[in-house]
């Protein structure tokens, strides 16, 4: 007997869909706290138990994360992103970076071949923002700016699948960037200003091979830093301030 589609009539399912859409549309951004339960009850015009069940379901998928005494936060931008995060939590930093390397090499190459003038302006802006964040000494701001830079490269590749995949991976790879920043290496290696500038210059010149080489150079330095790290417990991702010696 052929399968037939069935209507989803559960009120909880409808609330889950609305919450997922708020996350997908960026109304609820990854890393931010969602409205408190009484606010959701009022805004969605449903009962408290319905809201609780919907939130519990999204916590189970990994899209939301409850923090005792603080509230519930958006952990991933989609169910796929949550699945990626679950898998990467079982991976070593180096394994995760090797996956990132493959995506970023391709993104840089395609961006050099396909970028527009608007893409180039966005890349220059993202590079400048990254430099300002480093100078500020704010680790969280620097990580955000670095991730934004690489997302901008991925967007300039004009491949929607690649950009979406990198979007999900980059959220999950935040810990690996913290690990690189925490290595006792010279600031020039952790900041990698020259390497990131070389990526943008190659994309501007539409030199696909140079863009790929620049991305590979940047990632190789980071992977070498991870290889040289001593073995530590799984929860070792402590971020240090740019310029702070992790051995202090």
């Amino acid at each position: 007997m052929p399968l037939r589609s069935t209507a989803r009539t559960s009120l909880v399912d409808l609330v889950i869909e609305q919450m997922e859409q708020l996350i997908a549309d960026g109304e609820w951004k990854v890393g931010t706290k969602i409205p408190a339960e009484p606010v959701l009850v009022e805004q969605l015009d449903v009962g408290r138990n319905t809201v609780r069940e919907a939130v519990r379901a999204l916590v189970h998928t990994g899209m939301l994360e409850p923090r005792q005494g603080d509230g519930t936060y958006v952990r991933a931008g989609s169910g796929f992103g949550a699945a990626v995060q679950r898998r990467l939590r079982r991976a070593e930093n180096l394994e995760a970076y090797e996956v990132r390397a493959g995506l970023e090499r391709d993104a840089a190459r395609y961006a050099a071949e396909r970028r527009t003038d608007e893409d180039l302006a966005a890349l220059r802006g993202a590079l400048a923002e990254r430099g300002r964040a480093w100078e500020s000494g704010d680790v969280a701001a620097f990580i955000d700016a670095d991730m934004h830079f690489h997302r901008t490269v991925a967007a300039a590749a004009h491949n929607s699948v690649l950009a979406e995949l990198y979007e999900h991976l980059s959220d999950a790879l935040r810990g690996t960037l913290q690990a690189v920043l925490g290595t006792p290496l010279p600031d020039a290696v952790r900041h990698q200003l020259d390497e990131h500038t070389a990526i943008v210059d190659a994309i501007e010149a539409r030199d696909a091979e140079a863009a790929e080489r620049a991305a590979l150079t940047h990632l190789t330095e980071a992977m070498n830093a991870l290889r040289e790290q001593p073995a530590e417990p799984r929860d070792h991702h402590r971020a240090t301030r740019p310029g702070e010696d992790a051995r202090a």
Side-chain angles (χ1 to χ4, degrees):
M1 182 177 69
L3 295 175
R4 293 178 299 173
S5 62
T6 58
R8 297 180 63 185
T9 58
S10 165
L11 186 57
V12 173
D13 286 343
L14 293 175
V15 172
I16 289 172
E17 289 179 355
Q18 289 185 61
M19 291 181 174
E20 288 176 333
Q21 195 62 50
L22 286 168
I23 294 171
D25 291 344
E27 295 290 331
W28 291 358
K29 297 183 182 300
V30 173
T32 62
K33 184 163 63 174
I34 70 172
E37 185 178 281
V39 177
L40 291 175
V41 167
E42 181 179 355
Q43 291 180 343
L44 297 168
D45 194 24
V46 295
R48 188 179 296 268
N49 287 339
T50 299
V51 169
R52 287 179 179 174
E53 287 187 44
V55 169
R56 190 180 301 119
L58 291 177
V59 167
H60 181 71
T61 67
M63 290 181 69
L64 296 180
E65 177 185 24
R67 299 180 187 176
Q68 189 171 6
D70 188 10
T72 301
Y73 286 75
V74 180
R75 185 171 191 170
S78 70
F80 174 73
V84 170
Q85 290 193 21
R86 287 195 298 273
R87 179 61 187 91
L88 288 181
R89 284 199 294 275
R90 303 195 306 272
E92 297 295 334
N93 281 328
L94 183 57
E95 291 180 325
Y97 236 84
E98 287 173 347
V99 173
R100 176 185 173 182
L103 284 177
E104 289 197 11
R105 284 198 306 266
D106 288 344
R109 168 175 283 277
Y110 293 139
E113 295 173 348
R114 303 169 181 171
R115 63 90 178 162
T116 64
D117 290 344
E118 291 77 12
D119 292 328
L120 185 59
L123 283 167
R124 290 293 181 193
L127 184 63
E129 176 189 351
R130 187 179 181 277
R132 289 191 296 270
W134 174 267
E135 293 299 328
S136 75
D138 185 331
V139 171
F142 179 70
I143 290 174
D144 287 343
D146 185 79
M147 292 169 62
H148 175 63
F149 172 84
H150 290 289
R151 283 170 171 152
T152 304
V153 174
H158 293 279
N159 180 311
S160 60
V161 176
L162 189 155
E164 184 175 356
L165 183 56
Y166 188 81
E167 184 79 18
H168 293 311
L169 272 175
S170 61
D171 286 333
L173 288 171
R174 183 179 293 269
T176 64
L177 183 53
Q178 290 176 329
V180 171
L181 287 173
T183 55
L185 295 170
D187 282 355
V189 176
R190 292 191 291 160
H191 184 190
Q192 295 189 318
L193 173 61
D194 291 343
E195 291 80 356
H196 284 74
T197 301
I199 293 172
V200 178
D201 288 346
I203 291 173
E204 180 176 19
R206 301 189 187 278
D207 189 333
E209 291 186 5
E212 186 174 351
R213 283 197 305 271
L216 182 60
T217 297
H218 139 60
L219 291 160
T220 298
E221 287 187 349
M223 287 189 288
N224 286 341
L226 291 173
R227 288 189 182 98
E228 293 168 5
Q229 280 189 309
E232 295 181 354
R234 182 68 70 175
D235 62 349
H236 66 276
H237 298 316
R238 182 186 72 85
T240 59
R241 292 174 60 84
E244 174 191 357
D245 193 325
R247 295 168 294 184

